[in-house]
Amino acid sequence: MPLILVSGYPSSGKTYRSNQLVEHFQTKIQASSEAHISRLSVVLINDQTLGLSRDVYREARSEKDARAAEYSAVKRALGRDTIVIADGLNYIKGFRYQLYCEAKAVQTPGCVKVHIGAPIEQCRKINKKLLNEPESDGGYQDDVFENLVYRYEEPNGMTRWDSPLFTVPFEDATPPFESIWNALIGTEGGLKKVKPNQATVMKPAAESDYLYELDKTTQEVLNAIMGWQKDHVGEVGGQVPIGGDQVDLPASAVSLPQLQRIRRQFISLNRQHSLAKTRIHGSFVEYLNSSFA
């Protein structure tokens, strides 16, 4: 089954909405007489189930470890008969892309995004209230809260890894249950057909020099970008033609450490799911553009 990725500002009500989804789906599954529906299960993954405190978001290292814990838990839980709800900040688009790829790798219909559309000021009020309620899971310290809000990258339904996207306004009593269910299962209970994705389907055996080509090609793209920036000092943004493809640079200058981080992520995602050699270049350029968008 697809992964449901819940995203939103800190203290926007993500866990409340996730629990609503869990309760509705479990009720729907138990009431169904169809075998392919009644065998489904629902798994909720969040900071509470992983035993993570709000303080992990104060430091970069502990936050990275927290994301790794969520990633591993989601990867273990994904399956054709399991609806996985990842209830977390999920505010980095590159991280959402990684989870999308994991969902596709196990041949689920994809990854459904649920964005909690709560205004920042409303989230601030809820967070302060949570900080004053010791019996609750607690809120985020003010400096951590503001930092997370500043870094939040809102999902974009125009990109394939952020679609289908359902936005739940703060004022709505419930999420659009039926629309989300149909995105998961299909209309009238008919299971959605899974279209294999060449970038995520495991091949029987990789070409002997695949890893070498993966490393070499991605490094050549980075070298081309750095060379272009060196020849265009003072310019921001721009389109860099590289071997028939085009990298769209962001409005701010991109540093070599940033590029290397994106390259490591791409290599990690494709180390096992081997691409055809001819697709490495284009796929990496597409991944770069999605990271810069």
Side-chain angles (χ1 to χ4, degrees):
M1 284 292 103
L3 166 68
I4 300 178
L5 197 57
V6 182
S7 179
Y9 289 128
S11 300
S12 59
K14 295 182 296 297
T15 299
Y16 174 71
R17 297 301 192 183
S18 297
N19 286 328
Q20 285 183 308
L21 289 171
V22 170
E23 182 179 353
H24 179 81
F25 291 155
Q26 286 179 337
T27 300
K28 200 171 184 71
I29 291 168
Q30 292 169 3
S32 177
S33 58
E34 300 178 63
H36 67 276
I37 300 295
S38 60
R39 69 168 180 256
L40 299 178
S41 61
V42 183
V43 174
L44 175 65
I45 296 172
N46 57 23
D47 288 351
Q48 289 73 32
T49 64
L50 297 173
L52 301 173
S53 73
R54 306 297 192 196
D55 291 334
V56 299
Y57 298 102
R58 181 173 294 280
E59 302 291 339
R61 169 54 61 181
S62 56
E63 182 180 338
K64 182 178 179 181
D65 292 341
R67 284 201 302 273
E70 179 185 353
Y71 180 84
S72 297
V74 169
K75 187 174 180 178
R76 287 193 302 270
L78 281 171
R80 297 187 182 185
D81 295 329
T82 306
I83 298 174
V84 180
I85 301 177
D87 159 32
L89 290 171
N90 300 318
Y91 66 92
I92 300 175
K93 56 189 171 187
F95 182 63
R96 295 197 296 266
Y97 179 80
Q98 283 183 289
L99 292 174
Y100 164 85
C101 288
E102 286 299 335
K104 293 289 286 184
V106 294
Q107 297 187 17
T108 70
C111 184
V112 176
K113 304 300 187 303
V114 177
H115 172 61
I116 310 304
I120 295 176
E121 193 53 45
Q122 186 66 48
C123 296
R124 235 181 236 114
K125 291 179 182 178
I126 295 173
N127 190 65
K128 289 185 181 296
K129 181 181 178 182
L130 290 172
L131 284 173
N132 295 322
E133 295 179 353
E135 69 277 4
S136 71
D137 292 324
Y140 304 84
Q141 294 300 317
D142 290 342
D143 59 332
V144 176
F145 176 88
E146 297 299 336
N147 183 263
L148 289 172
V149 167
Y150 175 75
R151 291 189 287 143
Y152 183 69
E153 297 174 342
E154 188 170 327
N156 177 5
M158 298 297 290
T159 59
R160 68 180 186 279
W161 55 89
D162 274 341
S163 64
L165 174 65
F166 298 93
T167 297
V168 185
F170 181 79
E171 299 81 8
D172 285 12
T174 64
F177 291 132
E178 292 308 311
S179 296
I180 296 174
W181 178 262
N182 289 338
L184 293 170
I185 308 299
T187 56
E188 298 180 359
L191 288 176
K192 298 183 69 176
K193 293 183 179 179
V194 180
K195 295 181 180 180
N197 186 318
Q198 188 174 357
T200 56
V201 172
M202 187 77 77
K203 294 179 175 58
E207 298 171 82
S208 59
D209 59 348
Y210 169 72
L211 292 179
Y212 168 77
E213 287 294 333
L214 182 64
D215 182 80
K216 175 175 172 288
T217 302
T218 53
Q219 186 59 55
E220 287 174 349
V221 172
L222 261 57
N223 291 341
I225 294 173
M226 294 306 297
W228 188 92
Q229 290 191 142
K230 185 178 180 181
D231 294 337
H232 297 77
V233 177
E235 295 184 24
V236 293
Q239 298 175 331
V240 186
I242 307 175
D245 295 305
Q246 179 176 284
V247 174
D248 300 318
L249 295 178
S252 56
V254 183
S255 66
L256 181 58
Q258 286 177 286
L259 291 172
Q260 289 174 332
R261 176 178 55 81
I262 296 172
R263 175 174 174 263
R264 286 194 299 270
Q265 290 175 345
F266 180 81
I267 290 176
S268 176
L269 287 169
N270 291 284
R271 187 178 298 276
Q272 298 297 326
H273 313 302
S274 56
L275 297 164
K277 289 181 188 178
T278 55
R279 295 193 63 248
I280 293 175
H281 190 282
S283 295
F284 183 49
V285 169
E286 181 182 351
Y287 186 73
L288 282 168
N289 288 335
S290 70
S291 299
F292 296 152

